[in-house]
Amino acid sequence: MSEHPSDLESLLNQSLSGLAELSRKAGKLNALQQHYQELVQGPLGQHSRVANLRGGVLVIEVSSGAWLSQLRLQRSLLLSQMRQIVPSLTSLDVRINPGLVKSRQQVVNKPRNQRRISANTAKELEALAERTGGKLSESLKKLAALSERRQDGSETD
């Protein structure tokens, strides 16, 4: 542990850069999932999903061994079609995840996140942004602007 306390802005910038990388990967996985769902429609699409992309290996989860067998029948065609989005794709790794059906049901039944930024919180964030500088200030202003957009969209605090 260092003898001096860390600068808040540098700590937040480190966190924000890690979040940005995570956000990029999530966006890429989401795009792959959408493409995958277009290719694998029907019951197989409902019982499988893109789980990860590691190097050139696309990891797909299925809810049971029966769906694993169905997916293996389509493996070569699916691999060539997924290469349209990820040309460096070398193989598919298909894994059984019995919790997949349960998690899909929870996602369908789960209400949207209702957390909001109040107008008072937005004012505090803007005041803090004025006292700081650089990227932290920009980030705080963007966060405060969320409250304004939600209010403009006729949502209440």
Side-chain angles (χ1 to χ4, degrees):
M1 186 170 245
S2 69
E3 295 178 19
H4 302 285
S6 297
D7 179 30
L8 177 62
E9 185 172 1
S10 67
L11 287 174
L12 286 172
N13 284 335
Q14 289 173 357
S15 295
L16 291 175
S17 67
L19 289 174
E21 183 179 332
L22 186 60
S23 178
R24 278 191 296 277
K25 182 165 184 172
K28 186 171 187 172
L29 287 175
N30 187 38
L32 286 170
Q33 175 64 25
Q34 288 177 354
H35 187 65
Y36 175 79
Q37 287 299 314
E38 290 171 8
L39 299 173
V40 183
Q41 297 177 353
L44 179 57
Q46 295 171 358
H47 291 272
S48 62
R49 71 173 176 199
V50 170
N52 202 357
L53 178 64
R54 280 179 271 168
V57 179
L58 182 64
V59 180
I60 298 176
E61 294 181 333
V62 294
S63 61
S64 70
W67 296 114
L68 177 71
S69 296
Q70 290 292 317
L71 192 60
R72 281 186 177 158
L73 293 172
Q74 300 179 28
R75 183 181 223 137
S76 296
L77 178 62
L78 185 59
L79 180 60
S80 70
Q81 291 174 328
M82 291 301 286
R83 281 186 179 139
Q84 293 174 3
I85 289 193
V86 184
S88 62
L89 194 61
T90 58
S91 66
L92 298 177
D93 180 11
V94 185
R95 299 179 178 199
I96 297 174
N97 178 358
L100 183 59
V101 172
K102 184 185 248 186
S103 68
R104 289 224 183 240
Q105 290 171 347
Q106 288 174 349
V107 167
V108 170
N109 296 331
K110 188 176 179 180
R112 281 185 61 211
N113 187 349
Q114 297 298 318
R115 289 184 282 175
R116 294 183 177 89
I117 297 173
S118 69
N120 188 41
T121 301
K123 288 178 187 175
E124 293 293 330
L125 287 170
E126 288 171 351
L128 183 58
E130 294 301 320
R131 291 191 303 261
T132 62
K135 291 181 180 180
L136 177 58
S137 177
E138 294 171 21
S139 297
L140 290 170
K141 288 177 183 177
K142 287 178 185 177
L143 188 57
L146 290 175
S147 174
E148 295 170 10
R149 281 188 232 138
R150 287 190 174 144
Q151 288 173 358
D152 291 344
S154 74
E155 292 185 25
T156 58
D157 285 332

